[in-house]
Amino acid sequence: MGLTITEKILSKSLVHGELKRGSRIGIMADQTLSHDLNVIMTYLVLETIGLKEKKVETAVQYIDHNMIQADYKNADDHNYIMDMTSKLGIITARSGSGICHHLHLEHFAAPGKILIGGDSHTVAAGGIGSLSFGVGGFDNAMSIAGQPFYLTMPKIVKVHLIGKLQPFVSAKNIIFELLRQVSVKGGVGKIFEYSGEGIKSLNVSERSTITNMGAETGATTSIFPSDENTKNWLKSFDRENDFISLEADDDAIYDEVIEINLSELEPLIALPSQPDNIVKVKDVAGLKIDQVMIGSCTNTSVQDILNVANILDGQIVDSSVELGIYPSTKTVVQESIERGAYSKILLSGARVFEPICGGCNGCGFAPPTNGVSLRTTPRNFSGRSGTKTDQVYLVAPETAAASAITGVITDPRELGKDAIEFDIPEKFIFDSSTFVKLKKNPNQIIRKGPNIKPIPEFSSMEDVTTGEAILKLSDDITTDHICPAGALYLPIRSNIPEMSKHSFRVIDETFYKRAMKSKGSILVAGHNYGQGSSREQAAIIPRYLGINIILAKSFARLHLANLVNWGILPLVFKNDTDYDSIDQGDILEVCTDNLLEGKDIKVRNITKNSTIYLVSPVFQEDLDAIKEGGFVNVLRSKNK
Ligand code: SF4
């Protein structure tokens, strides 16, 4: 029987279980990726187990998220990170050198390698044929320490691309089309494997735009084959030796097939405030906008910036619009300067920032009150921009640039410009200052600023949990709702007591006080609870506030793993209609004396005098760990 690309890579790194859809498997990482915002928890865990040096083949650290440095907090985090990477022997990019996923694609990601990264968009590396997974800080720590990464073996979906993109319809529109077809829940429990004639016209950075935003479908990951285009990309960064050819066998078996005809695609746009609210740009053309942001790991490659410069060339940004551009890496900045794109952009009246995440997660460039902001970022969750009343539309760079000129949402084809052709150059410009030459020092003194608080201590689970349904939530609650992004909150991610004060503030500003008073409560949610980023603070904070059970219609994959790691029992309604039987404020009693995989768990609604049954969507190993207070407690007791 033939194998898919996924199966070929997994079979080489499998250390636990078998590659049977739905079973628990353990795999070993070849590479890890960390960034400053999520890595603090990772290093605190590694300090707990006393790791002396990294055990994974290649571990890389980036500093690209928490960059405003409005006071000591970000700078203290950066010092702590540099000390830990020096101690553990981890390759470190100088702060502000570029957005982690694009820098990794340039310098480390390689076909056939398993990459584990402490960020949901780690899956961007699928564009080069790396099987990449976004994880929480705890799982990232385990991978750095040479431990297996456990996951549920996903279904494998073939996404067959035919045809060729038309001028001004760039790769972002392919993933928009997939999101339109499958929604933000359609990828849960699946890996998207791309194939077909259509992939031949897509270079690695275009493929990476697609796999990057595959995260928004809820997919475990996405991957492209490794072919001549992959080889050309590696060559342009002097990495030909990393090339291997990789494709699925002709008789590989897929669980599902989706076909997209690239020739038929038009510029698409995601309306506020979910990435799957997709319509054609021409359907909302003419809507007045306040701001345009071109940036993020999804969409600021050299090609993207050249396309933007081509549209802005000789034009001035509309006086009612502010345009901000974040190139993705220093290579992109230098290529833009070399090719004359940078000055075309500056002369249009745009603000050009350093190559960091920046406005993508609200760390600068927030829109005005009720502002309509067009962004090339992967997410438009409410409030993520830093402005609670934002109206964020997601677009491809060409639509963003065209709209910045006209001041209204504009189909870039309407400007009557000629599109430019882009080929991957023989060699991209490389700035050798990008990576810091840290000397590995096992005795490195670790500086830890006052904002970095220890990991909270959590108890094991009682046999019966009684608590108030403290918050009843709808479908698609994101980690941004649970643990907000934005310049005010990112610097306190290393400080759980402080961060917890802002939990769910976008939904209910009274939540923190009520949860503190309740000292033991239960959350009730709809479908896809915890979608979005990998931030494990979205699990740690509710746990810190006394919540150790969440009842939901379904959970997002990455968040589910974080809940298990930090000792929160996830339960899924056997009948979705039982969700309606619970009101916020009801007192619930959950029997947790004998947690068995697949076994019903009784929940009594004491207020309503009724009983419903739920089941946990995790494996027995996970349930055993939850009973002990989560894998973090299991690890602590092993290292006592
Ligand atoms: Fe950075 Fe935004 Fe990409 Fe996250 S999604 S890694 S915040 S650019």
Side-chain angles (χ1 to χ4, degrees), residues 35 65 99-101 119 121 296-297 357 360-361 378-379 384:
H35 64 62
H65 277 66
I99 303 172
C100 55
H101 305 303
D119 185 278
H121 290 105
S296 87
C297 54
C357 300
C360 177
N361 59 6
R379 292 184 175 142
R384 178 178 167 89

Side-chain angles (χ1 to χ4, degrees), residues 379-398:
R379 292 184 175 142
N380 58 347
F381 303 145
S382 190
R384 178 178 167 89
S385 66
T387 299
K388 196 175 170 187
T389 57
D390 62 14
Q391 295 291 309
V392 176
Y393 293 70
L394 303 179
V395 291
E398 301 75 24

Side-chain angles (χ1 to χ4, degrees), residues 13-17 24-29 55 114 116 135 138-151 565 631 638:
S13 63
L14 192 72
V15 290
H16 178 93
R24 184 177 194 255
I25 57 169
I27 55 173
M28 298 302 288
K55 300 280 191 223
I114 299 245
I116 302 292
V135 300
F138 181 86
D139 284 328
N140 191 24
M142 293 301 95
S143 294
I144 293 171
Q147 298 297 311
F149 167 60
Y150 291 96
L151 74 157
N565 288 339
F631 276 114
K638 265 192 204 156

Side-chain angles (χ1 to χ4, degrees), residues 583-597:
D583 287 317
Q584 187 166 308
D586 285 357
I587 302 298
L588 308 176
E589 184 187 81
V590 186
C591 296
T592 49
D593 53 338
N594 191 15
L595 294 178
L596 291 176
E597 184 181 327

Side-chain angles (χ1 to χ4, degrees), residues 583-638:
D583 287 317
Q584 187 166 308
D586 285 357
I587 302 298
L588 308 176
E589 184 187 81
V590 186
C591 296
T592 49
D593 53 338
N594 191 15
L595 294 178
L596 291 176
E597 184 181 327
K599 189 185 160 222
D600 288 359
I601 291 175
K602 188 164 104 178
V603 177
R604 271 192 63 221
N605 187 328
I606 295 174
T607 309
K608 300 251 166 54
N609 195 21
S610 59
T611 300
I612 55 173
Y613 290 91
L614 294 91
V615 70
S616 184
V618 299
F619 295 104
Q620 189 60 48
E621 293 89 337
D622 301 322
L623 292 170
D624 294 343
I626 290 169
K627 197 73 187 158
E628 280 195 52
F631 276 114
V632 71
N633 274 11
V634 175
L635 191 74
R636 269 181 174 140
S637 50
K638 265 192 204 156

Side-chain angles (χ1 to χ4, degrees), residues 156 192 286:
I156 304 173
F192 290 120

